[in-house]
Amino acid sequence: MTRTDGTGGTGGGHPLRVILRMEVYPDMAADFEKVWLSVGEAIAREPANLGQTLVRSTEEPGLYYVLTDWSHESGFRAFETSHRHLLHRQKLKPYRRGGDMAVTEVVHRLEPESSEPQAG
């Protein structure tokens, strides 16, 4: 198992992981996913963005989580207050019925061990 301590972001500290809990109208879920993909592709081009993942609840219809990683908090905050972000939020607003956001630091990340045999 490979361990990382979470450092390595370009801001000198821990990378940020923003976790959005998004409640979507269940009958609009398929359209939401399409629009989110378009918005996500645009956000992935932000300089401080390290990637995003959209996950859907298997237990509650219309419940999604967005996991977005940023190299440093200042890059995320600059994006969060930008006009670009406002436009993205406006595109997603018709599908949302609620949600919240948590801004977190990646403290440790464990990578799985390689499943390939090692030469001895």
Side-chain angles (χ1 to χ4, degrees), residues 2 6-7 14 21 23 26 30-31 50 62-63 66 71 84 89 92-93 95 98 100 103 105 110 117 120:
T2 303
T7 59
H14 294 278
R21 181 179 184 275
E23 299 168 19
D31 289 336
L50 299 175
L63 180 60
V66 179
S71 57
R84 295 178 313 282
R89 285 188 7 230
L92 294 169
K93 185 176 180 177
Y95 306 97
D100 53 50
V103 179
E105 284 184 329
L110 301 175

Side-chain angles (χ1 to χ4, degrees):
M1 184 172 316
T2 303
R3 295 178 144 205
T4 61
D5 65 2
T7 59
T10 60
H14 294 278
L16 229 59
R17 176 160 294 159
V18 178
I19 304 167
L20 297 173
R21 181 179 184 275
M22 299 180 78
E23 299 168 19
V24 172
Y25 296 103
D27 59 332
M28 299 177 79
D31 289 336
F32 163 75
E33 290 178 19
K34 290 176 190 170
V35 173
W36 182 89
L37 188 58
S38 171
V39 167
E41 288 171 346
I43 294 170
R45 291 190 289 274
E46 292 291 325
N49 186 265
L50 299 175
Q52 301 182 79
T53 304
L54 176 67
V55 297
R56 178 179 51 221
S57 173
T58 60
E59 299 174 343
E60 188 175 332
L63 180 60
Y64 291 84
Y65 294 91
V66 179
L67 311 172
T68 307
D69 291 341
W70 297 85
S71 57
H72 48 84
E73 185 169 3
S74 61
F76 165 68
R77 296 297 180 189
F79 169 72
E80 183 184 36
T81 59
S82 72
H83 182 68
R84 295 178 313 282
H85 179 58
L86 175 63
L87 294 175
H88 297 316
R89 285 188 7 230
Q90 287 174 342
K91 289 178 184 177
L92 294 169
K93 185 176 180 177
Y95 306 97
R96 295 183 66 178
R97 58 186 173 97
D100 53 50
M101 178 176 80
V103 179
T104 67
E105 284 184 329
V106 177
V107 177
H108 296 289
R109 178 173 166 80
L110 301 175
E111 299 287 344
E113 289 185 25
S114 174
S115 58
E116 298 191 21
Q118 301 210 356

